[in-house]
Amino acid sequence: MLTVIGCFTDQHDLRLVGLAAAICAIAALTAIRLLRHAGSAGRTRLTWLVVAAISSGTGIFATHFIAMLAFQPSIPSAYDHGLTLLSLVIAICLTGLGLRVALLGTQGASWLGGLVVGLGITAMHYTGMAALEVTGHLRWNPAVVAASIVVGELFSAVALSTAIRSRSLTSLLASAAILTLAIGAHHTIGMAAVTITENPLATLSPHAMSPTWLAGAVALASLAIFVLTATAHALSLREQRRVHGETERMRGLANAAVEGLIVVDGHRVVTANVSFGRLVGLADAAVAGLPVSTFLTEANAWQRLACAMGQPVELGLRHAAGEIIAVEAILRRIDFAGKSHQALAVRDIRERKQAERNIQYLAHHDALTGLLNRTAFNAVLDRAVASAVETGASIAVLCLDLDRFKAVNELFGHAAGDAMLARVARCVTGLLGPDQCMARLGGDEFAILMDGQAGPDAAEDLAKTIIAALAAQASDRTADAMVGVSIGIALCPQDAMERQDLMVHADTALYRAKADGRGTYGVFEPEMGIAVRERHGVERDLECALARDEFHLVYQKQVAADGGALLGFEALLRWTHPERGRVPPDLFIPVAEERGTISAIGMWVLRTACREAAGWEAPLRVAVNVSAVQVHDPAFAAQVLAVLLETGLPAARLELEITETALIRNFDRAVATLRQLKTLGVGIAMDDFGTGYSSLANLRAFPFDRIKIDQSFVRNVDTNAQTAAIVRAVLGLGSGLGLPVVAEGVETAEELAFLKAAGCAEVQGYLFGRPAPLNPRETGIVPKADPRPDQAAGPGWAAA
């Protein structure tokens, strides 16, 4: 009786034992290399799995039988050729199956594949032992057999798991060593489980294969292993070069892209370009190997990308410093290194998002002041009105309009006007509470919504506070000192239950506040609607008044202060409506200026006054008021010349009265126009002197022939010391400049006496008669035949 392990040193050829160990190691290394190559082979994976199965199965077979040939018992032995061949087939098939299972890629697949390979080692070993024939009996120790199976299974599973988990060289060597240990340990323990008892009566099968023949078969198997090993090594080197070249080409292309790019295998980054590394704040080499979830802020971001394969998805990308970067990502499948991967392209869209936010902001806010614009305010007001109507809570709307803001633009320029609007917005918003918001509706129009049980008292208090705050702010700025604010207030649901009606009522109250003297506030009352409708009616009827011949002229005398000699007339425009009767000029003239009809009306006045004056027997002058629109029209001088030629009135008899404010908007244009008019021989008078801006500078810059003192300075000049001082100063200024001075609005003999004593040369006013159509018997003027036929009205205006 003998044990295989017990007679290891006496009955084993140690050289063959070493050879078996070497072949085992080579076979294990070849198996792992071919397994990895098959894993990245793509469409040829099955072919390489077959090659790997043959190589590893043959290696296991060769290891076993070389070790068996190293055992040289003292009794005859042989091998059953059928079982020997079967053991080789079992080794190849089960090993191939195990390698295929390990490449499934599912969780635990590598462990399961290792167990199948371990089963192949076990089955091959004990089938090969069954092929051994000796002249005696083999007895097995079940416990040791079980131990050999457990060791083979365990080490095989660990070996394949290590090979699949990482593709590094260290992992390759480690997994090959563990697989070698699995084969060698299993064989050694399995051989230790058998005991041979000699039987002199036993004989060998005549068909059994002798050890010599087995040695030849094993030699062929070993040769196959070496050939396959060399092939595997060559393929591995070629694959490494190909993968490296492909990787470098892809990296070069990827680094040339502006977008960040990463290649992902499963859920782990294989490679990244420079742009992606820069985007996440890491070197591109440091990104490789990290889970893709390291950079995605949303837990389901990868699922979203996978569901929208090939389509852009907006998500957050985590920077190494913790910042969340808005990106647009597209996931696509690609073939990388012969294996299917996912390529994720990310584009930084922070600038685009900021631009979208800016566009969204500008869509709802005023660019100059940062306040809500009309559209956004209407939306907020709609919600507030709906809530107020439903709950009964009170809200208030305040409409604000800056007084004399147009004059600021004309005097100081639009930049100063814009700066003023911004200051007003900052000042007023600083006074608002959490339930209040402000909007710029356009131009110098603002609106405030007071939500949250805003009654009339609270609205009036806010209006007073705003007026006081803007007045205080204006104290230290010249432009601001010119401008005040008027406010109109309307309440919901008390005054209206619709947004449009509420805004109309607030505008109506604002209009009343302006009519009451500006710089104050008005609260809507139902009777205010009558005044608004009246104004709208005036606007509508004014459009047709000229065509219906509803205008006519009246004339006010201009006389010498000393003696009362008649010097001329000022033509004044009057409108007689067929239903409304006489419409006051201070009502329809501002409307005409706002509606843009002032040009057509003005030229009718100029032409009519010139035609009528041309028919006077006495060569008296006629004064016509001119608007700012005409003064700044480059063709105005040519139009005046055409009227003079058309009517036959000498240019010296026409005097155009221009207010200072009309000159401010475009100084150079106004100077050019007035100089052209002077070239024609037309007289030019500064009207309402003292009520405009920069009067002394205007007197020096513009070619005036006469100064007209505004009636506000003439009234009570004989009893008011301050007014008297101003009038004397103006008369002295006119005398020094050689400009005659006309005093308007003289109504009493005392005022006339003061003006005569102060040296005023010309006067006009109710003291000498109210403006009226010319009556030859009263004026001493005898109309003569009209030298020109009646002409249709043209563009222009003049009224007082």
Side-chain angles (χ1 to χ4, degrees):
M1 181 180 70
L2 59 90
T3 60
V4 176
I5 297 301
C7 59
F8 184 82
T9 57
D10 295 333
Q11 296 180 327
H12 278 76
D13 187 337
L14 296 182
R15 291 172 298 178
L16 292 178
V17 171
L19 178 61
I23 290 176
C24 179
I26 294 173
L29 181 62
T30 303
I32 298 301
R33 274 193 165 177
L34 290 174
L35 173 65
R36 288 187 171 184
H37 187 74
S40 60
R43 291 186 296 271
T44 60
R45 171 179 293 185
L46 183 60
T47 301
W48 287 108
L49 277 175
V50 171
V51 173
I54 294 173
S55 172
S56 54
T58 304
I60 295 170
F61 171 82
T63 298
H64 172 77
F65 281 100
I66 289 175
M68 290 297 295
L69 289 173
F71 174 53
Q72 298 173 354
S74 56
I75 58 177
S77 62
Y79 294 89
D80 183 274
H81 61 273
L83 291 175
T84 300
L85 181 59
L86 178 61
S87 67
L88 175 60
V89 173
I90 290 174
I92 292 174
C93 292
L94 289 181
T95 302
L97 178 61
L99 297 178
R100 178 67 185 90
V101 171
L103 290 178
L104 289 177
T106 59
Q107 187 175 4
S110 60
W111 288 90
L112 180 59
L115 294 176
V116 175
V117 170
L119 179 61
I121 296 171
T122 299
M124 187 286 309
H125 175 82
Y126 288 107
T127 303
M129 290 300 295
L132 175 63
E133 294 184 7
V134 294
T135 54
H137 301 286
L138 278 65
R139 185 165 53 85
W140 298 91
N141 185 334
V144 180
V145 170
S148 70
I149 296 173
V150 170
V151 169
E153 292 282 344
L154 177 61
F155 283 120
S156 296
V158 173
L160 264 64
S161 176
T162 304
I164 296 298
R165 186 169 61 249
S166 174
R167 299 182 64 86
S168 65
L169 177 61
T170 303
S171 173
L172 172 67
L173 297 177
S175 56
I178 296 172
L179 185 58
T180 301
L181 183 61
I183 299 170
H186 172 80
H187 178 82
T188 303
I189 297 173
M191 293 301 291
V194 64
T195 301
I196 302 175
T197 304
E198 185 178 4
N199 183 4
L201 300 179
T203 60
L204 299 177
S205 172
H207 303 291
M209 184 169 47
S210 68
T212 301
W213 283 100
L214 179 61
V218 172
L220 290 176
S222 300
L223 179 61
I225 294 173
F226 283 114
V227 171
L228 290 174
T229 300
T231 303
H233 181 68
L235 289 174
S236 178
L237 291 177
R238 190 181 72 175
E239 181 66 13
Q240 288 177 5
R241 288 193 297 270
R242 187 185 69 82
V243 170
H244 179 74
E246 183 176 335
T247 302
E248 289 303 314
R249 284 193 299 273
M250 181 172 287
R251 184 181 297 276
L253 291 173
N255 287 336
V258 176
E259 293 85 358
L261 295 171
I262 58 174
V263 177
V264 181
D265 185 12
H267 292 280
R268 194 168 294 273
V269 178
V270 176
T271 184
N273 71 346
V274 174
S275 296
F276 186 87
R278 188 181 301 118
L279 199 59
V280 298
L282 295 173
D284 52 319
V287 176
L290 295 176
V292 71
S293 59
T294 305
F295 309 106
L296 302 180
T297 59
E298 302 175 25
N300 64 336
W302 192 254
Q303 287 77 4
R304 287 178 56 201
L305 290 166
C307 292
M309 183 70 68
Q311 300 298 320
V313 176
E314 291 187 7
L315 45 81
L317 196 68
R318 184 179 291 107
H319 190 272
E323 178 187 0
I324 303 302
I325 302 169
V327 298
E328 185 179 72
I330 300 178
L331 184 66
R332 289 191 176 92
R333 296 192 181 278
I334 64 168
D335 184 25
F336 178 73
K339 181 181 176 182
S340 178
H341 288 72
Q342 293 85 33
L344 182 64
V346 295
R347 177 180 300 162
D348 187 350
I349 58 172
R350 283 177 292 184
E351 291 185 2
R352 191 186 81 187
K353 284 293 184 182
Q354 183 61 44
E356 290 175 355
R357 286 191 292 269
N358 291 340
I359 293 172
Q360 184 70 11
Y361 180 85
L362 292 176
H364 295 87
H365 292 79
D366 174 56
L368 176 63
T369 62
L371 301 175
L372 295 178
N373 59 18
R374 183 184 294 271
T375 301
F377 182 77
N378 286 343
V380 173
L381 185 56
D382 279 335
R383 293 192 294 269
V385 168
S387 177
V389 171
E390 181 179 354
T391 63
S394 178
I395 65 171
V397 170
L398 286 72
C399 284
L400 290 71
D401 189 85
L402 300 185
D403 303 325
R404 296 178 295 278
F405 178 72
K406 182 179 179 181
V408 172
N409 275 336
E410 292 175 343
L411 280 171
F412 302 99
H414 290 285
D418 290 346
M420 174 178 288
L421 293 175
R423 287 195 297 272
V424 168
R426 287 194 301 270
C427 178
V428 177
T429 52
L431 305 174
L432 303 183
D435 293 329
Q436 301 162 2
C437 66
M438 184 177 182
R440 182 187 178 201
L441 304 183
D444 61 336
E445 300 176 35
F446 299 88
I448 296 173
L449 169 62
M450 297 181 66
D451 205 347
Q453 297 293 343
D457 293 340
E460 291 185 45
D461 289 342
L462 178 59
K464 293 175 183 176
T465 302
I466 292 172
I467 293 171
L470 292 179
Q473 176 179 277
S475 62
D476 60 345
R477 290 189 178 93
T478 303
D480 289 346
M482 295 170 51
V483 174
V485 62
S486 298
I487 302 175
I489 302 172
L491 303 174
C492 174
Q494 295 93 320
D495 298 330
M497 301 180 70
E498 295 287 342
R499 186 251 302 167
Q500 294 87 344
D501 295 339
L502 188 63
M503 291 299 296
V504 168
H505 292 341
D507 279 334
T508 301
L510 172 63
Y511 177 73
R512 172 58 63 86
K514 283 186 171 292
D516 289 344
R518 304 185 179 186
T520 184
Y521 69 90
V523 180
F524 175 77
E525 298 174 0
E527 57 269 20
M528 290 182 179
I530 299 174
V532 173
R533 287 192 294 273
E534 177 70 16
R535 178 179 174 85
H536 290 166
V538 170
E539 293 177 355
R540 183 179 61 253
D541 295 341
L542 191 60
E543 300 285 344
C544 305
L546 195 60
R548 293 173 180 173
D549 197 23
E550 295 174 359
F551 291 119
H552 67 278
L553 296 183
V554 296
Y555 295 88
Q556 187 172 37
K557 297 177 182 178
Q558 294 178 335
V559 301
D562 187 9
L566 183 62
L567 303 175
F569 292 91
E570 180 179 1
L572 304 175
L573 180 64
R574 295 294 182 261
W575 178 21
T576 302
H577 191 275
E579 297 176 0
R580 303 176 188 276
R582 181 180 172 184
V583 182
D586 59 354
L587 174 60
F588 73 82
I589 292 300
V591 172
E593 291 176 338
E594 294 176 7
R595 301 289 292 180
T597 57
I598 196 69
S599 296
I601 295 173
M603 190 53 100
W604 179 88
V605 172
L606 180 63
R607 181 177 286 105
T608 302
C610 290
R611 186 174 61 250
E612 292 184 356
W616 299 342
E617 187 69 29
L620 301 175
R621 71 170 180 259
V622 60
V624 179
N625 290 279
V626 177
S627 74
V629 175
Q630 289 173 288
V631 172
H632 294 96
D633 183 356
F636 180 59
Q639 293 172 354
V640 172
L641 176 61
V643 169
L644 293 175
L645 295 175
E646 173 188 319
T647 61
L649 181 71
R653 292 181 56 194
L654 175 63
E655 183 173 82
L656 300 178
E657 297 186 358
I658 302 170
T659 62
E660 292 175 281
T661 303
L663 306 175
I664 301 302
R665 187 174 66 189
N666 189 329
F667 184 89
D668 295 336
R669 180 69 262 168
V671 169
T673 298
L674 295 190
R675 288 177 177 171
Q676 290 172 353
L677 293 172
K678 287 292 291 180
T679 301
L680 298 177
V682 174
I684 301 173
M686 176 184 282
D687 197 13
D688 300 336
F689 182 80
T691 61
Y693 313 105
S694 306
S695 298
L696 298 180
N698 291 336
L699 287 175
R700 184 179 62 181
F702 293 98
F704 291 111
D705 298 296
R706 203 176 312 278
I707 301 174
K708 299 190 72 174
I709 302 177
D710 187 69
Q711 61 183 350
S712 62
F713 295 106
V714 175
R715 190 173 297 114
N716 299 323
V717 69
D718 57 316
T719 59
N720 189 310
Q722 291 181 338
T723 301
I726 293 173
V727 171
R728 289 192 184 97
V730 174
L731 291 171
L733 179 64
S735 176
L737 295 175
L739 296 176
V741 177
V742 180
E744 296 182 296
V746 180
E747 298 183 359
T748 66
E750 291 77 13
E751 293 172 353
L752 176 62
F754 175 87
L755 293 169
K756 288 171 59 178
C760 182
E762 301 178 19
V763 292
Q764 69 180 75
Y766 288 174
L767 180 63
F768 311 100
R770 292 180 176 272
L774 290 182
N775 187 335
R777 288 174 300 177
E778 295 179 359
T779 63
I781 299 175
V782 179
K784 64 180 180 180
D786 192 345
R788 302 279 188 236
D790 192 14
Q791 300 291 327
W797 86 277

